[in-house]
Amino acid sequence: MTNDNLLAAMVQAAEKAGSALLESFDPASRPADRTAMYELGTGLEATSTKIVREALDGVDGVGWWDEDESGREVPAGRWWVVDGTEGAVNHVHGLPEWGVIITLISDGLPELAVFRQPIGDLTYTAERGQGAFLNGQPLRVSAKTDLAAAAVTASQGGNDSVVYERFAGAFAAMASRALLVRNTIPTTFPLLGVASGQYDVFWQYEPDLPGTALGTLLAGEAGAVVSDLAGGSWDVNSPDVLVAAPGLHAAALEVLR
């Protein structure tokens, strides 16, 4: 199957899964506690992921990566990386920022990516070396060159107090240099903002793989510079990530180092 055909199949699968999620979306939803949030989110993920797997299972030479089953490290080869409900916490609270991620990883790098956001009827697509698009229109990153004018985003989740302390220090350092700094969960949406030129810089420690794999391909194909926080090449097993408009990457890297 050619990449064009494969990307079309990914879009179709994401749209079908997104439609299923939309059917259960209630803007008035307000779960009472963490248990209710978990039960709702788990059900959404199972429904959506089942649809994606049924649509794409059996593509020659592509396996299914699952962090819960396989661990954080992604081995060499070709793998589907899927988040059936990216932003499930938003969905269950009646917020519109959620969707379906499907990314094809090839030897540590994202090759094809689709993000479907049913609210707004938005479909983001990217192919390595072929550009990034929103509903078929090309995306382009910011042209800014001054960090003092930059809208900077991060997405720091996790359960590690050491990472929290490191992030707090980096947040303070960046806030002293940039126009504004935001921390947004889930990962995908700030990276979509960088790819669209609405935000200028993104960083994360211990990256969330589905969102980061998708977002780095979209932003990179829209013209962003993607690296780890040492300034080296980024791949799906890197311990951190920096994504920035070309005119801001060096300055952002200096601050975050």
Side-chain angles (χ1 to χ4, degrees), residues 42-81:
T42 299
L44 293 169
E45 181 71 21
T47 296
S48 180
T49 301
K50 182 175 184 291
I51 291 169
V52 173
R53 284 205 174 219
E54 287 176 349
L56 298 175
D57 205 16
V59 174
D60 189 40
V62 184
W64 293 91
W65 179 86
D66 186 324
E67 184 174 9
D68 292 335
E69 296 178 2
S70 307
R72 177 63 181 79
E73 292 289 311
V74 181
R78 304 182 83 205
W79 300 93
W80 292 120
V81 174

Side-chain angles (χ1 to χ4, degrees), residues 31-215:
D33 53 35
R34 190 163 183 165
T35 298
M37 289 167 56
Y38 177 80
E39 290 176 352
L40 288 168
T42 299
L44 293 169
E45 181 71 21
T47 296
S48 180
T49 301
K50 182 175 184 291
I51 291 169
V52 173
R53 284 205 174 219
E54 287 176 349
L56 298 175
D57 205 16
V59 174
D60 189 40
V62 184
W64 293 91
W65 179 86
D66 186 324
E67 184 174 9
D68 292 335
E69 296 178 2
S70 307
R72 177 63 181 79
E73 292 289 311
V74 181
R78 304 182 83 205
W79 300 93
W80 292 120
V81 174
V82 173
D83 192 331
T85 317
E86 171 76 329
V89 68
N90 292 333
H91 188 295
V92 304
H93 285 92
L95 293 165
E97 293 86 10
W98 51 269
V100 181
I101 290 174
I102 307 174
T103 304
L104 176 64
I105 302 294
S106 182
D107 291 330
L109 294 173
E111 180 178 343
L112 299 170
V114 172
F115 181 70
R116 174 63 179 171
Q117 185 178 354
I119 305 295
D121 191 21
L122 305 176
T123 301
Y124 294 82
T125 60
E127 178 181 353
R128 195 191 315 166
Q130 301 298 319
F133 302 87
L134 169 57
N135 291 351
Q137 298 301 309
L139 296 172
R140 193 65 196 167
V141 298
S142 165
K144 290 179 186 175
T145 58
D146 182 1
L147 197 58
V152 178
T153 62
S155 184
Q156 197 58 57
N159 299 289
D160 188 330
S161 61
V162 174
V163 173
Y164 292 155
E165 290 176 8
R166 185 184 182 199
F167 174 70
F171 191 99
M174 186 63 78
S176 72
R177 295 281 304 278
L179 177 66
L180 61 88
V181 186
R182 294 173 175 168
N183 183 39
T184 304
I185 301 294
T187 302
T188 295
F189 290 94
L191 280 167
L192 295 179
V194 174
S196 303
Q198 296 164 313
Y199 295 135
D200 307 298
V201 176
F202 170 88
W203 91 92
Q204 187 177 35
Y205 303 114
E206 298 186 355
D208 162 62
L209 180 57
T212 310
L214 169 103

